[in-house]
Amino acid sequence: MRTYLVTGGAGFIGSNYIHYMFRKYDNEIRIINVDKLTYAGNLENLKDLEGRDNYTFVKADICDKEAIRKIFAENDIDRVVHFAAESHVDRSIKNPEVFVQTNVLGTLVMLNAAKEAWELPDGTFKEGKKFLHVSTDEVYGSLPDDGKSYFYETTPYDPHSPYSASKASSDFIVKSYIDTYKFPANITNTSNNYGPYQFPEKLIPLIINNALAGKDLPVYGDGKNIRDWLYVDDHAKGIDMVQEMGQLGQKYNIGGHNERRNIQIIHTILDTLLEILPDDDPRKKNVSYDLIKYVEDRKGHDRRYAIAPDKIKAEIDWEPETCFEEGIKKTIKWYLDNQDWMKNVTSGDYQKYYKDMYQDK
Ligand code: NAD
Ligand code: TYD
C-alpha cells in the first residue's frame, strides 16, 4: 500500500486533495496528514475521515526538524505532497516574517527529511519515491491587461508580495535539490483556487459570507484586477496526475483557463445568491449590489494572472473540467449548507483579523 505524507492537509486545498484521493483510491492508499493547525487549518474539514484505518493526523510544525524526521523514521513514506504554507497575500504585507519561516525554511526541513529517508549510499534515491511541491502562479509576477500574454513554465520569476517572494524562494530551493542531488521532485504552479473549505479571508468566501450577513463587500482599487480561477477538485486531480504521470524534475503550470475581473466575480456571487436563495430565507433581503464598497487598493497589487496550461495538457492530458458557472454554484451551495462551518471559523480571531485588515479601508 502506497503511503502519502501530506503537509497542510487541514487547510483549504490540502483537505480537498485528501478527500479527492480517498474518493479515487479508497483503501489502496494510506495518508498521513501533518499540519500545525494555524488559523487556516481546521480539522472539521476532515471530520468524515475520523475512524478510517488508512488516515492519520499528526499535529506538527513543518519547521520542527525532529518532528518531521520522526514521521519519516516511523513510516515508509512513498509520496510527499507539500501544501503547508502561509497563503494569504494581505497577511504577508502586514507580517512577512512567518511567511519566510514556514514557506522557505519549512520547505527546506521537508526536503531534508525526505532526502535523508530516501537517499541510498551511492547518492541515488530509492525507487518510486516522489515529492511534490505545491506552488502558485504568483511567483511569475503580474501580466499586462492585454488578454493575450500568459504565464508559461519558462516565464522568469518576478514576485512582488512577501507571500509570492517566499513561494518563489521555496520553488528555487526545491529546484536546487532537483538540480544538485537529482532529488525526485516536481513543482506545480497553480492559479487561484475556489471551492468548499476556503477560509473567508480570500475573495470568494469573504464575499459570500459578507453578502449573506448584509456587510460591505470590499473591492480593492478599481476592482478590475484579473485572476484565473480554478475549481479546487480540478487542482487536486492535476496534482495527482503530475505526481503519477509527470516527468520527475519538471515543473507544471495548472490553470483554469478562466480569467475574471474581481468585480465580475462579486457580481456573479450576488446574482447566484439571489437566484438560489429561497424567498423565505431571511438572508436573501441582505443580498444587494448596494453592499459593494470600493476601498483602498492592496499595496503592490498584481494586475493580472493567467496561466497557459499547455504543458500539462500536452504531456499528461490534464485540463480543467469544471466550468466557472457550475463551480461557483457548487461552491455557494456548499457555503449555504455549511453555515456552522463558517460560524466556527469566523468566531474568535477572525473578528480581530477583519477589524485590523478592513477598519481603515
Ligand atoms: P491554507 O492557508 O488554506 O492552508 C494552509 C495549511 O497549512 C493550513 O492547514 C495550516 O494550518 C497549515 N500550516 C501553515 N503553517 C504550517 C506549518 N508551519 N507547519 C505545518 N502546517 C502549517 O492554504 P491553501 O489555500 O490550502 O494553499 C495550500 C498550498 O497551495 C500553499 O502552499 C499555497 O501557496 C498553494 N496555492 C494556493 C492557491 C490558492 O488559490 N489558495 C493557489 C496556488 C497555490
Ligand atoms: P485573494 O483571494 O486574496 O487571492 P490572491 O491575492 O492570492 O489573488 O484575492 C483575489 C483578488 O481579489 C485580488 O486581486 C485581491 C482582491 N480582493 C478584494 O478586492 N477584496 C478583498 O476583500 C479580498 C480579500 C481580495
Side-chain angles (χ1 to χ4, degrees), residues 87-90 138 163 192 198 201-204 206-207 217-221 223 225-227 229 262 266 295 298 301-302 305 353 358:
S87 70
H88 188 36
V89 173
D90 290 326
E138 304 192 22
Y163 163 66
N192 287 62
Q198 188 168 30
E201 63 185 353
K202 305 281 168 64
L203 181 70
I204 289 181
L206 186 140
I207 296 298
L217 309 178
V219 184
Y220 298 167
N225 299 62
I226 295 170
R227 298 293 182 261
W229 294 93
N262 294 337
I266 294 170
V295 298
R298 173 186 280 172
H301 198 175
D302 287 338
Y305 301 144
Y353 163 81
Y358 292 98

Side-chain angles (χ1 to χ4, degrees), residues 7-15 34-42 45 60-63 82-88 98 101-103 106 133-138 163 167 188-194 197-199 201-202 229 235:
T7 70
F12 163 49
I13 307 177
S15 59
V34 181
D35 198 299
K36 183 183 174 183
L37 299 182
T38 67
Y39 77 92
N42 184 357
N45 300 358
D61 186 333
I62 55 163
C63 300
H82 176 40
F83 293 99
E86 287 292 333
S87 70
H88 188 36
V98 66
Q101 183 71 33
T102 288
N103 300 1
H133 175 63
V134 179
S135 191
T136 166
D137 60 354
E138 304 192 22
Y163 163 66
K167 292 298 290 189
T188 52
N189 295 90
T190 309
S191 59
N192 287 62
N193 281 221
Y194 68 102
Y197 304 113
Q198 188 168 30
F199 192 78
E201 63 185 353
K202 305 281 168 64
W229 294 93
H235 184 193

Side-chain angles (χ1 to χ4, degrees), residues 70-302:
K70 189 164 175 273
I71 297 169
F72 277 92
E74 289 174 356
N75 300 278
D76 183 14
I77 306 291
D78 300 298
R79 300 279 187 274
V80 174
V81 183
H82 176 40
F83 293 99
E86 287 292 333
S87 70
H88 188 36
V89 173
D90 290 326
R91 286 185 192 252
S92 82
I93 294 167
K94 291 226 170 198
N95 179 21
E97 204 172 317
V98 66
F99 284 73
V100 174
Q101 183 71 33
T102 288
N103 300 1
V104 185
L105 299 177
T107 297
L108 186 67
V109 168
M110 291 306 304
L111 288 167
N112 282 336
K115 180 172 175 288
E116 190 182 289
W118 294 348
E119 200 169 25
L120 295 166
D122 66 357
T124 62
F125 290 90
K126 290 181 188 164
E127 189 67 30
K129 306 293 188 190
K130 296 181 184 183
F131 187 110
L132 191 140
H133 175 63
V134 179
S135 191
T136 166
D137 60 354
E138 304 192 22
V139 297
Y140 299 118
S142 183
L143 290 165
D145 192 347
D146 60 5
K148 61 179 185 198
S149 48
Y150 294 98
F151 295 139
Y152 292 89
E153 286 78 1
T154 49
T155 302
Y157 277 27
D158 183 23
H160 298 126
S161 71
Y163 163 66
S164 54
S166 69
K167 292 298 290 189
S169 310
S170 66
D171 290 11
F172 281 133
I173 301 277
V174 177
K175 183 179 182 303
S176 78
Y177 273 55
I178 294 168
D179 294 347
T180 305
Y181 308 112
K182 306 280 175 284
F183 183 74
N186 289 103
I187 300 169
T188 52
N189 295 90
T190 309
S191 59
N192 287 62
N193 281 221
Y194 68 102
Y197 304 113
Q198 188 168 30
F199 192 78
E201 63 185 353
K202 305 281 168 64
L203 181 70
I204 289 181
L206 186 140
I207 296 298
I208 297 171
N209 190 37
N210 282 17
L212 288 171
K215 283 172 67 179
D216 286 349
L217 309 178
V219 184
Y220 298 167
D222 65 4
K224 292 187 180 155
N225 299 62
I226 295 170
R227 298 293 182 261
D228 176 1
W229 294 93
L230 176 67
Y231 192 63
V232 66
D233 278 354
D234 290 348
H235 184 193
K237 182 174 180 181
I239 287 171
D240 183 41
M241 288 175 77
V242 166
Q243 197 158 49
E244 293 319 309
M245 293 185 264
Q247 290 181 64
L248 269 179
Q250 290 288 308
K251 77 203 292 294
Y252 293 89
N253 285 354
I254 309 183
H257 262 318
N258 179 46
E259 289 180 54
R260 310 269 155 159
R261 295 189 192 277
N262 294 337
I263 192 67
Q264 287 179 293
I265 296 281
I266 294 170
H267 288 172
T268 304
I269 292 172
L270 291 171
D271 293 346
T272 311
L273 281 171
L274 289 169
E275 181 198 323
I276 66 181
L277 277 170
D279 286 340
D280 60 358
D281 189 314
R283 294 168 300 179
K284 190 165 187 169
K285 66 172 183 348
N286 293 333
V287 179
S288 160
Y289 273 60
D290 294 340
L291 298 173
I292 294 173
K293 184 179 171 208
Y294 285 86
V295 298
E296 187 191 325
D297 207 356
R298 173 186 280 172
K299 289 186 176 67
H301 198 175
D302 287 338

